[in-house]
Amino acid sequence: MNFSLLDFMKGKALRTSLILFLAFSFSGCYPYFFKDRMFRSEGMGFFTISVSDLSDFDKTSKNEDIKLEHPIQLDQAKIKDYFGNLRYSKRSSVGYFSDFVFSDHELDLLARDLPYTLKNLPNDKLLLIISKYDDTQSVISFDEVTSCVLWAAEGKINLLFGRVKRELVDRDAALDFSRWTRIEKIRLAHGFDGTEIAEGENVDFGQIDGLPLRKWVVFDMKNPSKYKFTPRKQYQPVKLTDENDRP
């Protein structure tokens, strides 16, 4: 009897160790392996993550006890007001390139789906947003992924970006939700990966160690009129006239 009980305990300990090993292995490969899905569409994924998943979160406020102000009530128009004018700049071998963080149709999808997740966001969790979109929509173009963490505290909405418009060159990954939502860890730390949120008239950055972190955008919910979505110009094909250069 004692021998059987001992074997049982050893077997249980072995299984527990194996489960923990696998859990740590997977979580090491994919930082948000244990994220909880709230909502998804074809090109949008919304998940909750723990505060502990965002390193140095305590540095986001001067207060020792940071109280999250969730859930958040925002309609589609206000989502566009906050996020629609954000631009990013990207360094390449030929110089700097600037464009909107969220493309036209991508912004429409975000404005449609984000209000639902915000009003159901737990008061002890952060929201992880992963967006996949192909701006060009051609046979030779690829989907690009943008990732960010959102939370509200002290009357402000915080948006901390990870990768912005990172190309998914694996077409199979772009079709598999569980693959394109595997992203690198988003950090509250200064660094440069070639992209950053561009400065703008109503763009305020959070600060780490007294310096602006240009992937951390802060919106003042107490002053919502400060943000107003500017409709984008729709570029049309150039029409040839007598004044245009001709061969």
Side-chain angles (χ1 to χ4, degrees), residues 86-90 97-103 135 165 198:
L86 291 178
R87 300 180 67 94
Y88 74 100
S89 61
K90 179 178 181 180
F97 168 82
S98 180
D99 199 1
F100 290 104
V101 173
F102 299 105
S103 308
D135 294 319
K165 298 292 187 183

Side-chain angles (χ1 to χ4, degrees), residues 39-46 75-76 79-80 83 102-117 129-135 137 143-144 165 180 232:
F39 184 77
R40 67 155 293 185
S41 60
E42 181 180 354
M44 292 276 173
F46 301 91
D75 59 19
Q76 294 188 18
I79 294 294
K80 285 193 172 184
F83 305 126
F102 299 105
S103 308
D104 289 286
H105 184 58
E106 184 181 20
L107 180 63
D108 289 337
L109 295 177
L110 183 68
R112 182 195 69 182
D113 298 337
L114 184 55
Y116 168 80
T117 58
I129 304 172
I130 306 173
S131 175
K132 172 180 69 73
Y133 194 74
D134 177 6
D135 294 319
Q137 301 286 325
D143 287 284
E144 295 175 323
K165 298 292 187 183
W180 64 259
R232 301 167 185 178

Side-chain angles (χ1 to χ4, degrees), residues 111-170:
R112 182 195 69 182
D113 298 337
L114 184 55
Y116 168 80
T117 58
L118 291 179
K119 72 178 183 180
N120 292 284
L121 184 59
N123 60 8
D124 62 342
K125 297 287 186 178
L126 309 180
L127 182 65
L128 175 65
I129 304 172
I130 306 173
S131 175
K132 172 180 69 73
Y133 194 74
D134 177 6
D135 294 319
T136 308
Q137 301 286 325
S138 75
V139 294
I140 60 173
S141 61
F142 293 90
D143 287 284
E144 295 175 323
V145 169
T146 297
S147 60
C148 58
V149 176
L150 182 152
W151 73 93
E154 301 177 331
K156 298 177 181 178
I157 291 179
N158 299 266
L159 202 59
L160 177 66
F161 285 92
R163 295 288 187 174
V164 180
K165 298 292 187 183
R166 181 176 184 178
E167 195 172 54
L168 277 173
V169 295
D170 185 344

Side-chain angles (χ1 to χ4, degrees), residues 61-245:
S61 173
K62 296 180 180 179
N63 300 322
E64 294 182 1
D65 185 20
I66 304 173
K67 184 179 180 181
L68 297 176
E69 298 169 357
H70 303 159
I72 308 169
Q73 299 292 335
L74 293 178
D75 59 19
Q76 294 188 18
K78 188 48 65 179
I79 294 294
K80 285 193 172 184
D81 286 340
Y82 283 137
F83 305 126
N85 298 328
L86 291 178
R87 300 180 67 94
Y88 74 100
S89 61
K90 179 178 181 180
R91 187 180 66 183
S92 68
S93 59
V94 295
Y96 279 87
F97 168 82
S98 180
D99 199 1
F100 290 104
V101 173
F102 299 105
S103 308
D104 289 286
H105 184 58
E106 184 181 20
L107 180 63
D108 289 337
L109 295 177
L110 183 68
R112 182 195 69 182
D113 298 337
L114 184 55
Y116 168 80
T117 58
L118 291 179
K119 72 178 183 180
N120 292 284
L121 184 59
N123 60 8
D124 62 342
K125 297 287 186 178
L126 309 180
L127 182 65
L128 175 65
I129 304 172
I130 306 173
S131 175
K132 172 180 69 73
Y133 194 74
D134 177 6
D135 294 319
T136 308
Q137 301 286 325
S138 75
V139 294
I140 60 173
S141 61
F142 293 90
D143 287 284
E144 295 175 323
V145 169
T146 297
S147 60
C148 58
V149 176
L150 182 152
W151 73 93
E154 301 177 331
K156 298 177 181 178
I157 291 179
N158 299 266
L159 202 59
L160 177 66
F161 285 92
R163 295 288 187 174
V164 180
K165 298 292 187 183
R166 181 176 184 178
E167 195 172 54
L168 277 173
V169 295
D170 185 344
R171 293 188 182 277
D172 291 334
L175 296 175
D176 187 345
F177 181 78
S178 65
R179 292 180 64 188
W180 64 259
T181 55
R182 298 173 184 172
I183 60 170
E184 298 173 0
K185 193 173 184 64
I186 300 174
R187 301 181 183 277
L188 271 165
H190 292 284
F192 190 73
D193 64 354
T195 60
E196 64 182 25
I197 304 302
E199 293 185 352
E201 182 179 354
N202 294 319
V203 177
D204 298 311
F205 296 107
Q207 294 189 0
I208 294 293
D209 299 327
L211 297 173
L213 180 58
R214 299 187 186 278
K215 282 197 171 183
W216 177 14
V217 183
V218 180
F219 303 104
D220 186 0
M221 290 192 293
K222 297 178 181 178
N223 187 17
S225 61
K226 176 180 178 180
Y227 311 96
K228 191 64 178 178
F229 174 58
T230 303
R232 301 167 185 178
K233 295 180 180 179
Q234 300 297 321
Y235 295 98
Q236 302 295 330
V238 175
K239 294 182 180 181
L240 290 176
T241 66
D242 291 338
E243 288 76 28
N244 289 114
D245 291 334

